[in-house]
Amino acid sequence: MFHQNHTKRPEWQQNLFVLWFGNFMVGMGFSLFMPFMSLYIDTLGHFTNLELNFWSGIAFSATFLVVAIVSPMWGRLADSKGRKLMLLRASLGMAIVIGSMGFVTNVYELVGLRMLQGVFSGYISNANALIATEAPRAKSGQALGTLTTGNVSGTLLGPLLGGVIADIFGYRIPFFITGTLLMLVFFLTLFFIHERNFTPIPKQAQVSMRKLFSTLKYPHIIIGMFVTTMIIQASNYSISPILSLYVRQLMHGSGRVALVSGIVASIPGIATLVAAPRFGALGDRIGTERVLLAGLVFAMLVYIPQAFVQNVWQLGILRFLVGVSDAALLPQVQALLAKYSPAQATGRIFSYNQSFQSMGNVMGPLIGSSVSGAFGYGSVFLSTALLVVVNFFWVLSSTKRLRATHQK
């Protein structure tokens, strides 16, 4: 009976269910230990405040630095060898690497494993590519939309769950749990994912970057959005290395710091999840670039007060407002990229944007840890506000022609 019901389900739906769980776990795997990473590093040695900030920044940045370097290589390999193989590589590698982080005895081992985690990236991008090719064309949009909620939900719940587990069982247990669940993702992918509609793309058939950009109608907008993505991510991630340390300072070193840090880290994601669709619809009506510019102004206004909060409740409210501003930023950038990229180049354009996003993920923690080490935690929010101001004028310049066209 079970076999009969199983065979009635379309194969692409089975792929979708398994990959949704995989995306959920990968999103959680990248975010689950973010709230207490700095606190974990603090247990691995005797560090001064400056040293702790430095190593926190390095540990946060290491994964994304490697992702930015290796992503093009994995992308080319996926085009020639298939997406399922890349899914298996990513899930097995992350399971082993993240699980091993619970055994480290010093900060050097942790940073090395964080770098190795970046080598095994690519699960989410290959899951999207596989579903896009396997699902019926009439249902591909719905399928990809459903798949995206897996990563968003995992990234949203990861910091909260990680904070709860760390608060109850200690900092090492979340790594073991994540590694075990990612190993489950590997076996589910191995046995239940089927890739039928794959055609290898020869290396010589791939279009060069220069040739690709020569075909674009608005190359200045595309390049402008690449840089904007990088600055947005640098702004968001500049807070990551110091957030739990800032929470600990606001709580005067007492109370459930890991749990509260997890809650504070998750709050922006909740706001973004609720507000993003509404801002997207608004952008369709009044112009996506206008929503993006308004989001940058609002972000600047909510980052500055975070430097002067007196308790964790004030910080939590302002972090919620950061989530609202985030909903007006990256989704609008992606909408502009989609609107002004030719259909045959959309995949390449978004892969390049992913590289700029990873570069921002690298720059942000390094900026945050350097500024906090020199001037204190509150100053990080002021430097982030300055980054947002720079981004505002960059977007204002790169979308000038676009806004002029809409006004005619």
Side-chain angles (χ1 to χ4, degrees):
M1 185 70 179
F2 172 79
H3 179 72
Q4 289 177 347
N5 289 337
H6 177 69
T7 56
K8 288 180 182 179
R9 177 179 297 163
E11 196 169 70
W12 71 268
Q13 285 188 358
Q14 177 177 294
N15 286 343
L16 178 60
F17 295 148
V18 175
L19 292 175
W20 186 95
F21 178 73
N23 274 12
F24 178 83
M25 286 312 309
V26 170
M28 185 172 288
F30 270 82
S31 65
L32 185 132
F33 34 84
M34 291 303 177
F36 61 85
M37 178 71 81
S38 301
L39 303 176
Y40 185 40
I41 291 173
D42 202 19
T43 68
L44 299 176
H46 300 285
F47 303 106
T48 65
N49 190 53
L50 183 61
E51 290 170 338
L52 181 58
N53 290 327
F54 170 78
W55 283 115
S56 296
I58 294 296
F60 274 96
S61 299
T63 298
F64 300 110
L65 174 62
V66 177
V67 169
I69 295 171
V70 305
S71 288
M73 177 189 71
W74 291 132
R76 288 192 296 270
L77 194 60
D79 287 340
S80 61
K81 300 297 183 181
R83 280 87 187 195
K84 179 174 179 177
L85 182 62
M86 294 298 100
L87 292 168
L88 293 172
R89 169 196 59 80
S91 55
L92 180 61
M94 284 192 297
I96 295 171
V97 170
I98 292 177
S100 299
M101 290 180 191
F103 294 107
V104 299
T105 57
N106 58 64
V107 71
Y108 306 106
E109 294 172 355
L110 180 62
V111 170
L113 288 171
R114 287 283 293 168
M115 294 180 69
L116 197 56
Q117 183 182 347
V119 173
F120 295 106
S121 61
Y123 189 96
I124 291 171
S125 60
N126 282 287
N128 286 332
L130 191 146
I131 288 297
T133 55
E134 297 294 324
R137 183 170 296 273
K139 296 186 177 181
S140 61
Q142 177 187 353
L144 287 169
T146 302
L147 187 62
T148 300
T149 64
N151 179 43
V152 171
S153 301
T155 304
L156 172 63
L157 294 176
L160 179 58
L161 184 60
V164 171
I165 296 172
D167 184 65
I168 298 173
F169 299 106
Y171 300 135
R172 296 180 183 271
I173 298 301
F175 295 105
F176 301 145
I177 294 174
T178 305
T180 301
L181 290 172
L182 285 169
M183 187 63 73
L184 175 60
V185 170
F186 167 78
F187 285 111
L188 288 172
T189 303
L190 178 63
F191 294 115
F192 296 107
I193 293 297
H194 304 284
E195 186 175 21
R196 309 292 188 192
N197 301 321
F198 172 68
T199 303
I201 301 175
K203 184 177 180 180
Q204 59 271 23
Q206 297 180 7
V207 181
S208 68
M209 178 94 168
R210 179 176 295 181
K211 187 173 181 180
L212 173 61
F213 271 87
S214 69
T215 65
L216 298 177
K217 185 177 181 180
Y218 297 104
H220 61 286
I221 293 176
I222 301 301
I223 295 172
M225 291 305 101
F226 286 169
V227 177
T228 296
T229 294
M230 181 176 68
I231 302 177
I232 289 171
Q233 289 302 101
S235 301
N236 284 335
Y237 276 79
S238 66
I239 310 300
S240 297
I242 61 99
L243 186 60
S244 60
L245 301 174
Y246 193 39
V247 169
R248 183 170 67 178
Q249 177 179 291
L250 291 172
M251 297 177 67
H252 307 291
S254 62
R256 297 184 168 184
V257 176
L259 174 60
V260 175
S261 297
I263 294 172
V264 171
S266 294
I267 285 174
I270 297 171
T272 301
L273 202 60
V274 173
R278 291 165 174 79
F279 283 134
L282 181 63
D284 289 337
R285 292 198 304 271
I286 68 171
T288 303
E289 69 282 357
R290 289 180 176 145
V291 174
L292 176 57
L293 287 167
L296 288 168
V297 172
F298 186 65
M300 178 189 65
L301 295 176
V302 296
Y303 271 119
I304 293 174
Q306 292 176 70
F308 307 104
V309 296
Q310 300 299 311
N311 57 63
V312 75
W313 299 108
Q314 294 172 351
L315 180 63
I317 292 170
L318 289 169
R319 296 301 293 168
F320 180 86
L321 295 177
V322 167
V324 175
S325 71
D326 283 345
L329 301 181
L330 274 183
Q332 309 309 312
V333 170
Q334 292 165 351
L336 286 169
L337 290 174
K339 288 177 181 179
Y340 298 101
S341 301
Q344 67 272 21
T346 301
R348 294 286 298 277
I349 294 296
F350 274 87
S351 69
Y352 293 134
N353 195 57
Q354 180 65 49
S355 294
F356 277 86
Q357 187 171 337
S358 294
M359 285 189 278
N361 293 347
V362 173
M363 293 167 55
L366 294 178
I367 292 171
S369 57
S370 300
V371 171
S372 64
F375 304 106
Y377 300 134
S379 60
V380 177
F381 299 97
L382 299 178
S383 65
T384 301
L386 182 60
L387 273 178
V388 174
V389 171
V390 171
N391 207 4
F392 173 82
F393 285 107
W394 174 263
V395 173
L396 199 66
S397 173
S398 58
T399 61
K400 182 178 180 180
R401 284 175 54 190
L402 187 59
R403 285 180 285 113
T405 301
H406 287 169
Q407 289 172 356
K408 292 180 180 179

